[in-house]
Amino acid sequence: MATEAEPRTDEKQPTDIVPDPSRTDRAKTAFAAQRGHAGARIKDWLATTDLDDAEVIQLADQRKQAKHDDKIAQQQRIVAEAHGRFAHAKAQAEAGETRGGNLAALGGRVAAEESKLAALQSTVVMPATEREANSVRHGKKAGRAALLAAGSLATLPAASEAIEQAAHGQPLLLAALGAAAGYGWYLVSRPFVAGQPSPDAPSMPVELAAPVDLTKQEAQAGGREFNAPPPPALTVDELDAALRAIGEVRGDEQLQILAIPQRDSDGNTTVVFDLPPRTTVAELKKKLPKLAGALGRDVSMVDIEKAGTEVRTSLWMTDKNAFADTRPSPLLKKPTQLDAWKDGVPVGWNKRGITIRLAINNQSFVIAGTSRSGKGVGASNLVVGASFDPRINLRIVAGKQNAEWNPYAKTGVASTYFKPDPARLLALLHALLADKDRRERALDELGKSKLVAPIIDKIGGLEVVVIDELATYTRPGKPLREEIIEALIELSAVALGAGIILVLITQYPEVDVIPQALSANLGAKWAMRVENATQSNAILGAGQAGAGRDASKFDPPRPGFGWLVNPFAGVTDLARSFDLDEDERGEITMLLEKAAKIREAAGRLAGQWDDPIEQHLLNATGLSSAAGGPKRDGMPGRNVLNHTPEQRMQLEACRGALIAMNDLGRDVAQLDEMAQIIGGSMTSTRLGELLRAAGAGGVVKVVIEGRGRVNGYQRADIADALNLLEGN
């Protein structure tokens, strides 16, 4: 029996869909919360409240420094262009294409532009002012507003009110908000978490995510490492505590930090601050060793400079002692001609690692320190550097009989060189005083009151007089002491303007050795390690040890390390000389050979030019010390430079014959065997002619073992002839 089929359960039945009012309300509430978060975030971002005052000041300082660097770069381009025009005009004039009348004007422009550049480079960039910091903040606001407009976030309803409030009273911001569109709704609509500003709109409960572990992990293959920036080497609290520990900040006094401590890319830290008005930067400098100790540093790791006012201080600090390791002279890497008058010569480096160049122009020098303090190396850097300027005539007076200064004679770099001889030193000083008069007459003819760079060649170059071991001549009881000191004082006082400069070196820095009247005229002073504060003051000046510059306090002492005072270069600092060795590495000879080639090309090697000083010495003593004398060893003799070519051949023949006897191991020899040892084109006949012409006479009967009585020469006869030729 058929039955009625029951409906299938899988058929879809029509139903009415009714919206869930609770879900709609929740969506509206969530969106309202998101709008509130977005508005608060945008308002906070536009107001730049995420940038604290320290960051703004830092940005302002960087902007100010960048502008200053741009000015220097622009001026450097102008100087280069001026040099190019001058060089082109000079080349045209030398080629006869022009008369060269414009050279003076172009040269004047070069000098003027270089002066502007020097002024810019010496200008200290002051910390940003409050007005400049506000300008940076307003600029940041304008930039963010422009970014907001470009991203079209301004069309969001939640952002409009925030933008209007943030731009209130700032037309620049309003002008930037021309168009708006969506800008990453999710990023700005997230709820605020701990540590962020609270939004004005209602917030929703949020479950905070687990904290992120920023600990540096082992890098995965092909992955990246996270390197957090290093912390400052100095905090404001540490600085305040250190200054209070040494009594520069007291009680309720406060430091005004103008540039917060920041570790530079090279690991150093600089902070600019104002001291309390009760004290000054000069007073703080006197306490530099104590301040360094309070900061946990060596005095060579801390530096203080005045940054404008008497209380505004720029403090620099490093974590590594710049003087711990030696450094080679930069001339070893690049031995090129120098302009010692304008650019100076490299002698060492300061605590910031910057090369110190001492100009050789309007100041004399004293370099002093106890035995093995490195004063000789410091002096060598100065004198070797001076040899690379062919306009400088080097007069070297050694203080010992050793070969320390011989390389200057061997290479022909030293215009004058002799070993201890008080009478000859006095004659040299008198010659220089006479030359001072000649130079002053030349200045009068040129219409100048003192020597300036353009006329150095016209007046005969610069005279640099190096006196090593000054105490050899100026300690009480030394021969001609009073006359020598009197001449040195006169030269140091009146000869600088004529281009005569002293370099005095001593291991006895005492007032008996360097009288006050002499020391006062030595502008550049380099004090290596000494025994006590009295000796330090004898070099650097009275009261300098009390001002914190005491060369007896070096701990540990290092060769070539000392206080360098050079007022014309604005240097009063610790410095260490470059490592320059002759005995083991032969570096001084190598550099002097390079300098000799420069001088030879300029016609300024000893013997290439008429030297009035050596001519005076020759007239006064009958002996020459040009290039160290006949043997170039510091022993004056007959003027070898004026020997005839035939006399020079006679000299070489005598020397060769004596060397041959040394090789043969006896004091007699025959002509043929000596000629064979001498070699070259020398024959026994020619050797006999030269020996007879030199005064050694003809051959005589001599006894040689195994040969009996033969014709030959005796050593004594040849040696006497050589001494006669050399003027000994």
Side-chain angles (χ1 to χ4, degrees):
M1 177 179 174
T3 60
E4 187 176 350
E6 294 184 2
R8 296 176 59 176
T9 57
D10 59 346
E11 281 189 25
K12 294 181 180 180
Q13 302 298 323
T15 58
D16 294 331
I17 299 175
V18 179
D20 185 350
S22 62
R23 179 179 299 175
T24 303
D25 291 342
R26 286 198 302 273
K28 289 181 178 180
T29 301
F31 186 66
Q34 291 174 349
R35 288 179 60 188
H37 292 312
R41 284 182 183 275
I42 295 168
K43 178 180 178 181
D44 184 68
W45 185 67
L46 284 171
T48 65
T49 56
D50 58 315
L51 298 177
D52 59 27
D53 291 340
E55 289 177 297
V56 173
I57 291 175
Q58 180 181 337
L59 291 171
D61 286 340
Q62 292 172 349
R63 175 187 290 184
K64 198 169 182 180
Q65 183 64 52
K67 288 182 178 179
H68 182 68
D69 293 342
D70 288 342
K71 288 181 181 179
I72 291 177
Q74 175 64 19
Q75 188 60 31
Q76 287 173 333
R77 288 191 288 270
I78 292 173
V79 169
E81 182 265 342
H83 274 287
R85 287 179 179 271
F86 179 78
H88 179 67
K90 184 178 180 181
Q92 286 184 320
E94 291 174 349
E97 299 176 9
T98 64
R99 290 190 175 185
N102 196 35
L103 278 178
L106 290 174
R109 179 169 181 250
V110 169
E113 297 300 344
E114 286 183 339
S115 177
K116 292 179 184 178
L117 177 60
L120 278 173
Q121 290 173 330
S122 63
T123 300
V124 177
V125 180
M126 301 301 296
T129 63
E130 184 177 351
R131 182 176 180 180
E132 290 167 335
N134 289 335
S135 175
V136 169
R137 189 179 289 278
H138 291 325
K140 282 288 183 183
K141 290 180 180 179
R144 291 184 176 187
L147 178 62
L148 191 65
S152 300
L153 184 60
T155 56
L156 297 175
S160 60
E161 180 181 356
I163 295 173
E164 181 179 356
Q165 292 179 6
H168 180 68
Q170 299 181 36
L172 179 61
L173 296 183
L174 294 175
L177 304 178
Y183 180 71
W185 178 252
Y186 168 72
L187 294 176
V188 298
S189 64
R190 292 172 298 162
F192 284 76
V193 297
Q196 293 180 326
S198 300
D200 295 331
S203 61
M204 297 179 64
V206 179
E207 181 179 352
L208 298 179
V212 179
D213 183 8
L214 294 182
T215 304
K216 182 177 177 181
Q217 303 293 334
E218 296 251 349
Q220 300 295 325
R224 300 182 181 180
E225 292 184 356
F226 174 77
N227 289 299
L234 176 69
T235 66
V236 174
D237 289 341
E238 289 171 341
L239 174 61
D240 182 79
L243 290 170
R244 290 183 183 278
I246 65 173
E248 286 300 292
V249 179
R250 304 172 185 171
D252 296 334
E253 294 176 342
Q254 298 293 328
L255 291 177
Q256 184 178 353
I257 305 296
L258 303 174
I260 62 171
Q262 180 181 5
R263 187 188 293 268
D264 301 331
S265 58
D266 54 8
N268 303 328
T269 297
T270 302
V271 56
V272 179
F273 57 91
D274 280 348
L275 290 165
R278 172 186 49 78
T279 186
T280 63
V281 178
E283 292 297 321
L284 181 58
K285 282 187 174 183
K286 294 179 182 179
K287 298 182 179 180
L288 184 59
K290 292 183 178 180
L291 176 61
L295 293 170
R297 301 292 193 279
D298 183 78
V299 67
S300 59
M301 301 163 70
V302 180
D303 191 28
I304 292 173
E305 292 179 353
K306 187 169 72 171
T309 69
E310 294 297 332
V311 299
R312 185 153 296 173
T313 311
S314 175
L315 184 147
W316 172 92
M317 190 175 76
T318 186
D319 295 332
K320 182 181 179 181
N321 190 329
F323 303 120
D325 301 321
T326 60
R327 296 187 185 185
S329 168
L331 288 176
L332 292 170
K333 184 177 182 181
K334 192 176 181 181
T336 57
Q337 183 169 332
L338 300 178
D339 185 340
W341 176 279
K342 176 185 173 185
D343 301 323
V345 298
V347 297
W349 71 97
N350 64 14
K351 62 177 65 174
R352 301 193 185 204
I354 301 171
T355 295
I356 296 174
R357 303 176 73 92
L358 293 182
I360 299 178
N361 45 38
N362 54 1
Q363 60 189 338
S364 288
F365 301 80
V366 59
I367 302 174
T370 57
S371 179
R372 317 313 301 170
S373 64
K375 66 182 182 303
V377 178
S380 292
N381 276 278
L382 178 65
V383 183
V384 167
S387 72
F388 278 85
D389 189 334
R391 301 171 301 174
I392 291 178
N393 309 322
L394 284 174
R395 316 285 179 187
I396 300 175
V397 182
K400 299 177 182 177
Q401 295 290 348
N402 62 19
E404 180 177 358
W405 296 95
N406 282 15
Y408 295 84
K410 298 289 186 185
T411 54
V413 166
S415 301
T416 295
Y417 169 53
F418 57 89
K419 291 178 178 176
D421 185 340
R424 192 168 190 84
L425 172 57
L426 185 59
L428 172 62
L429 298 178
H430 287 162
L432 289 165
L433 286 169
D435 195 52
K436 185 264 300 182
D437 296 337
R438 177 194 66 81
R439 288 166 171 263
E440 288 177 346
R441 289 192 297 270
L443 288 172
D444 182 57
E445 293 172 1
L446 293 167
K448 304 293 183 182
S449 62
K450 62 180 180 181
L451 182 62
V452 291
I455 62 171
I456 290 176
D457 289 330
K458 296 179 182 179
I459 205 171
L462 293 169
E463 292 289 339
V464 174
V465 187
V466 181
I467 304 178
D468 191 18
E469 300 296 347
L470 181 66
T472 302
Y473 307 99
T474 62
R475 291 187 80 177
K478 293 294 182 179
L480 302 175
R481 174 182 183 266
E482 299 302 325
E483 295 89 337
I484 289 173
I485 289 178
E486 182 180 352
L488 285 172
I489 291 174
E490 186 176 356
L491 276 173
S492 68
V494 300
L496 275 175
I500 300 176
I501 295 166
L502 301 177
V503 178
L504 307 182
I505 309 164
T506 181
Q507 67 174 331
Y508 296 100
E510 301 166 355
V511 292
D512 287 340
V513 173
I514 311 176
Q516 180 61 32
L518 175 59
S519 177
N521 294 321
L522 304 174
K525 307 167 187 290
W526 201 347
M528 311 295 187
R529 178 177 56 85
V530 296
E531 296 296 334
N532 51 59
T534 302
Q535 291 183 342
S536 182
N537 284 339
I539 307 168
L540 300 175
Q544 292 300 304
R549 291 181 280 275
D550 188 344
S552 67
K553 300 294 186 183
F554 299 144
D555 184 22
R558 293 183 171 90
F561 177 55
W563 281 104
L564 177 61
V565 177
N566 186 7
F568 291 97
V571 175
T572 301
D573 202 354
L574 291 170
R576 188 174 186 185
S577 65
F578 292 118
D579 185 20
L580 202 54
D581 176 75
E582 173 63 18
D583 292 332
E584 295 183 5
R585 301 192 296 270
E587 291 170 341
I588 292 178
T589 291
M590 186 272 288
L591 287 176
L592 291 175
E593 288 173 348
K594 300 285 187 182
K597 292 181 179 179
I598 294 172
R599 288 175 169 264
E600 184 176 20
R604 299 296 289 182
L605 272 179
Q608 286 186 304
W609 56 288
D610 293 330
D611 185 349
I613 302 299
E614 271 301 324
Q615 187 59 50
H616 182 106
L617 287 174
L618 183 61
N619 294 339
T621 67
L623 301 176
S624 171
S625 51
K631 297 180 181 179
R632 297 200 168 190
D633 60 355
M635 301 303 293
R638 281 182 56 188
N639 191 7
V640 177
L641 297 175
N642 292 334
H643 281 168
T644 65
E646 183 67 18
Q647 286 175 322
R648 293 193 185 103
M649 285 189 285
Q650 294 166 16
L651 278 168
E652 294 305 317
C654 290
R655 290 167 181 163
L658 293 175
I659 292 173
M661 288 184 178
N662 291 337
D663 290 347
L664 293 169
R666 57 180 188 260
D667 292 332
V668 293
Q670 292 183 283
L671 283 171
D672 57 349
E673 59 184 352
M674 290 190 292
Q676 184 177 1
I677 291 174
I678 292 172
S681 61
M682 184 63 70
T683 65
S684 59
T685 301
R686 179 57 176 160
L687 180 59
E689 293 174 352
L690 291 172
L691 292 178
R692 284 193 299 273
V699 293
V700 296
K701 292 295 182 179
V702 296
V703 177
I704 298 178
E705 186 177 354
R707 301 183 195 176
R709 287 174 62 83
V710 296
N711 292 329
Y713 275 89
Q714 301 183 60
R715 178 187 296 272
D717 293 336
I718 297 176
D720 288 344
L722 180 60
N723 286 334
L724 180 64
L725 278 172
E726 291 180 338
N728 294 335

